[in-house]
Amino acid sequence: MIKKDYYEILGISRDASTDEIKKAYRKLALKYHPDKNKEKQAEEKFKEAAEAYDILSNPEKKKRYDKFGHSSSQGDSGGMNMEDIFTNFGDIFGDAFSFSGFSNYKKKNIKGSDLRIKVKLTLNEILKGIEKKMKVQRMKMAKGVELIFCKNCNGTGQITRVTNTILGIMHTTTTCSICGGLGKKSERLPKGVNNQGLKKKEELVSITIPPGVTEGIQLKISGKGNDAPFGNGIPGDLIVVIEEIPHEKLKREGKNLHYDLYISFPDAVLGAYEEVPTGDGKARLKIDAGTQSGKTLRLKGKGLPFLEGYGRGDLLIHIIVWTPKKLNEEQKKMFQQIKNEENFIPQKSEKSFFEKVREMFSS
């Protein structure tokens, strides 16, 4: 297909100035805008004029075109669509496109409102990660909504007022009170539909929760919020707020887990094996003979995974030696006999409690 000369399309001479090129394009864009001109070829001529302007308004492209013709611009402007045209050249129109079409293309970036839900997770779910199916009440574009462009603002969503002041002419732009800045309003609304053409509908949404999330963290599910008003834009997002269900035995501190293990005095003296809970099961733990109350044992890698996916925290077991409050006569006699023996006399630890804690968290 033979392309028309760009200068011929815009109706200008080859030595036309930048302002003349812009003025010629502006005139054609107004004339052939598809929302104002319903002729069959209007949109094609509108795009054709935009392509010509794209080449001739750029000094480098214009120079190549003047020298090599259309072969110089292959790939520069091919396949331009209406949104590209308004994105690239909309700023030169000023207030000329204060009608529905320009408003329609500009409003394509309107985003619906976000939704927020809370999801409660057990420690095991946090440890492994999980995919949950949640019922979400979303505002969706309703069927049967008839729309008309707002005549109050000519579809722009804004009202511009011109005021003469002692400083000169002032232009004040405000949101249209009739359409709320949408440029459209409803002519007929079905039952249960709000004034933005939206109706509440329940939808089952799949939410993938990665391992290692923490209380209060927010996950974003794109496009699963409310639809934009009248469906003229993109849906908002679904914000998922994580809540942790406290574990009955384990306490969480960041990526580490803590467990208080109570052992009897004989077990502390003689040593024993104990079963302790972990986030995903149980572990068998050896208690050495002579273990002191307050000692902390560490099971590496038995805590929670890092959200970034590198390794896991630890499970810290805090030993508490249980001292009985009541003894029978035989038990009392036994302790009376041994309490003054040398190995039952308390000895000062080589390291203080705070030194042990510092050493534990730095290792």
Side-chain angles (χ1 to χ4, degrees):
M1 181 179 175
I2 300 176
K3 282 192 173 184
K4 290 176 64 177
D5 181 78
Y6 289 144
Y7 290 100
E8 183 183 339
I9 291 172
L10 296 182
I12 56 177
S13 64
R14 288 188 169 270
D15 58 355
S17 66
T18 302
D19 286 340
E20 288 173 329
I21 294 171
K22 181 185 291 187
K23 185 177 180 181
Y25 169 53
R26 183 181 163 102
K27 181 179 178 181
L28 289 173
L30 284 166
K31 181 179 179 180
Y32 292 116
H33 189 283
D35 282 336
K36 299 295 286 185
N37 191 326
K38 300 303 181 182
E39 293 179 10
K40 189 176 181 180
Q41 301 298 322
E43 184 172 334
E44 201 57 43
K45 290 182 178 180
F46 185 80
K47 293 179 181 178
E48 191 176 63
E51 183 177 332
Y53 177 73
D54 179 46
I55 298 299
L56 299 183
S57 63
N58 184 300
E60 288 299 320
K61 292 181 182 180
K62 183 178 183 296
K63 185 177 179 180
R64 295 201 305 269
Y65 176 72
D66 289 342
K67 189 173 183 179
F68 301 108
H70 286 294
S71 62
S72 68
S73 58
Q74 288 181 0
D76 283 339
S77 303
M80 291 186 73
N81 57 42
M82 300 295 283
E83 191 170 359
D84 290 334
I85 293 169
F86 282 113
T87 300
N88 296 331
F89 312 133
D91 59 335
I92 76 164
F93 300 141
D95 295 326
F97 280 158
S98 59
F99 49 79
S100 63
F102 183 54
S103 174
N104 183 42
Y105 285 108
K106 288 196 74 172
K107 290 185 184 330
K108 284 195 176 183
N109 289 327
I110 289 178
K111 186 178 180 181
S113 58
D114 292 340
L115 286 175
R116 186 180 298 268
I117 63 171
K118 292 181 179 180
V119 175
K120 293 185 177 183
L121 301 176
T122 65
L123 188 67
N124 185 261
E125 290 172 333
I126 292 173
L127 192 150
K128 296 179 179 179
I130 190 173
E131 182 175 335
K132 282 186 172 285
K133 304 284 187 181
M134 304 289 293
K135 290 181 179 179
V136 178
Q137 299 287 333
R138 299 178 59 198
M139 297 301 290
K140 299 281 290 181
M141 180 62 185
K143 294 181 179 180
V145 176
E146 295 180 5
L147 303 177
I148 59 173
F149 287 106
C150 179
K151 294 180 180 179
N152 189 53
C153 62
N154 291 322
T156 65
Q158 297 180 328
I159 300 295
T160 300
R161 292 182 174 84
V162 180
T163 308
N164 290 315
T165 70
I166 59 173
L167 299 175
I169 298 175
M170 294 187 64
H171 294 257
T172 305
T173 302
T174 58
T175 300
C176 177
S177 60
I178 302 299
C179 66
L182 297 173
K184 297 178 180 180
K185 61 179 184 177
S186 58
E187 190 172 43
R188 187 177 70 84
L189 289 175
K191 186 178 179 181
V193 177
N194 67 13
N195 59 5
Q196 294 184 339
L198 305 177
K199 186 176 183 178
K200 185 174 288 187
K201 294 183 180 180
E202 186 176 84
E203 183 176 329
L204 192 64
V205 178
S206 178
I207 302 171
T208 301
I209 300 173
V213 294
T214 57
E215 171 86 20
I217 196 172
Q218 297 183 5
L219 305 177
K220 184 176 77 172
I221 314 298
S222 298
K224 290 300 181 180
N226 293 322
D227 279 356
F230 301 118
N232 186 28
I234 60 175
D237 301 323
L238 177 63
I239 308 301
V240 181
V241 182
I242 301 299
E243 287 189 353
E244 295 185 28
I245 301 173
H247 193 277
E248 59 180 2
K249 295 180 179 179
L250 299 171
K251 300 295 182 183
R252 178 178 183 177
E253 183 187 39
K255 303 305 173 188
N256 294 328
L257 296 175
H258 295 262
Y259 177 67
D260 290 339
L261 176 60
Y262 288 83
I263 63 174
S264 67
F265 183 73
D267 283 344
V269 173
L270 303 174
Y273 284 92
E274 295 284 345
E275 199 174 63
V276 296
T278 64
D280 52 359
K282 296 179 180 179
R284 187 170 170 81
L285 182 69
K286 181 183 178 182
I287 307 297
D288 292 332
T291 294
Q292 302 296 312
S293 185
K295 183 175 183 178
T296 297
L297 304 178
R298 181 192 296 264
L299 294 181
K300 286 188 174 293
K302 287 295 183 180
L304 294 170
F306 288 85
L307 188 58
E308 299 80 9
Y310 301 105
R312 286 175 58 171
D314 303 326
L315 172 60
L316 304 173
I317 297 103
H318 306 284
I319 303 298
I320 301 171
V321 177
W322 175 255
T323 303
K325 294 182 178 180
K326 295 182 179 180
L327 298 174
N328 58 35
E329 290 302 319
E330 186 177 344
Q331 292 168 338
K332 287 181 181 179
K333 184 177 180 181
M334 179 188 70
F335 281 106
Q336 288 287 345
Q337 291 174 344
I338 64 175
K339 74 173 186 176
N340 292 322
E341 293 184 13
E342 185 177 351
N343 60 343
F344 275 90
I345 298 174
Q347 302 293 318
K348 182 180 178 181
S349 175
E350 296 179 0
K351 296 180 181 178
S352 69
F353 171 77
F354 293 105
E355 287 175 329
K356 289 180 180 179
V357 171
R358 189 184 306 116
E359 183 181 80
M360 177 181 65
F361 284 102
S362 63
S363 60

